[in-house]
Amino acid sequence: MTGLHQRFNKTLFSTMTVAMLVIATGCSSPQTDPSKTTIPTDSDQWQKKLGQTFEQLSEADQQVLSRYMLRMKLSDAYESGAMPRTTIKQALIQQREYERLHPNNPTGKKSPIVKGQAANATAQMYPVALLPVKTSDSDSLNQVKMQFMLSNHGKGAIKGFKGTLTMKDANLTKGKNFNVPLTTFDPPIAPEQSGKIIIESSIEDINVMRAIKNASGITIEINKGTLTLVDDQTIEFENSLVK
């Protein structure tokens, strides 16, 4: 009887385990595929609508999508209602194909008009863009994770950056500075590639927070800082001008 009793207990335990797994599987909520998310036709809504979804993408897809969005901005393609709704998956496919055809200009950036100012031309070789920020109405006095994408249009790979980024917007009376501690890029940012800069910043000005949430008119400049290339050459920025 003892053996029969033990076999009965084992069978009962196995049955209960399978039943619990079935119940757990049935009760779990389905995972949302971020690649199926649609990019709003109004570029003013990108920050608000895509912040959380952006975080779910792989690092590589984040960079490709950032270059796609920057390309759309530079071409003025994404104005309200100007283009059909495109999913993130479609955008990634389109951007990768565009970069295959235009390996030296992944964002469609037009050549700058130098007008004799070589310093400004050099500064434009390293543009910085603000990535979508996950915010809520209660974030105005809290620490906010700011993410910037530094693009490299120079000839050498970038291994590090330290300095101050200035955010400018038509609705702000003065620019907002963000201090960036030494950021090391691993791997280094190769020419015509991008790297992410992440900082924590306290946003106490409600107007700054509003600008971040509606970032269509925002520009980011390297106000002061140092770019270090893989050959240890440095590029110094001072008031948006390269020495």
Side-chain angles (χ1 to χ4, degrees), residues 106 108 119 121 148 156 162 165 198 223:
F148 305 90
K162 178 181 180 180
L165 300 178
I198 302 175
N223 181 280

Side-chain angles (χ1 to χ4, degrees), residues 38-41 68 77-78 81-87 90:
T38 300
I39 300 174
T41 54
Y68 171 85
Y78 262 94
M83 289 187 69
R85 293 165 67 86
T86 302
T87 65
Q90 292 169 335

